[in-house]
């Protein structure tokens, strides 16, 4: 279950990244304030970290079960 939720979080991070790239391309970079960009990069980093940690946690659980 953690692995699936982790994959879902990675997908969300990809969608947010794509939305940021497309919106800056369409509106032009001059309309964006620097704190919006830092906030979005922070959100993306946290979501990717959370997703990867959940996937790794689930894989470690699976490895422990295989060793027994």
């Amino acid at each position: 279950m953690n692995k699936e939720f982790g994959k879902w979080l990675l997908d969300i991070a990809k969608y947010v990244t794509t939305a940021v790239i497309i919106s800056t391309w369409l509106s032009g970079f001059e309309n964006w304030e620097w704190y919006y960009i830092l906030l979005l990069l922070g959100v993306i980093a946290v979501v990717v970290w959370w997703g990867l940690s959940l996937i790794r946690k689930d894989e470690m659980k699976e490895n422990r079960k295989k060793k027994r």
Side-chain angles (χ1 to χ4, degrees):
M1 174 114 170
N2 285 338
K3 192 172 188 177
E4 294 301 317
F5 187 60
K7 287 181 181 180
W8 182 77
L9 286 172
L10 291 178
D11 287 340
I12 294 298
K14 287 187 271 186
Y15 298 145
V16 170
T17 304
T18 304
V20 169
I21 291 171
I22 289 173
S23 63
T24 55
W25 180 64
L26 290 177
S27 69
F29 201 68
E30 64 274 354
N31 293 337
W32 283 74
E33 297 292 331
W34 62 271
Y35 50 86
Y36 289 138
I37 295 168
L38 287 178
L39 178 68
L40 288 171
L41 289 176
V43 167
I44 291 167
V46 167
V47 171
V48 167
W49 173 80
W50 190 16
L52 290 176
S53 66
L54 286 175
I55 290 171
R56 184 164 185 210
K57 182 180 174 182
D58 201 45
E59 287 176 354
M60 288 175 65
K61 237 186 229 183
E62 289 175 4
N63 287 339
R64 287 183 194 147
K65 286 181 182 178
K66 287 181 183 178
K67 287 183 180 179
R68 292 183 183 182

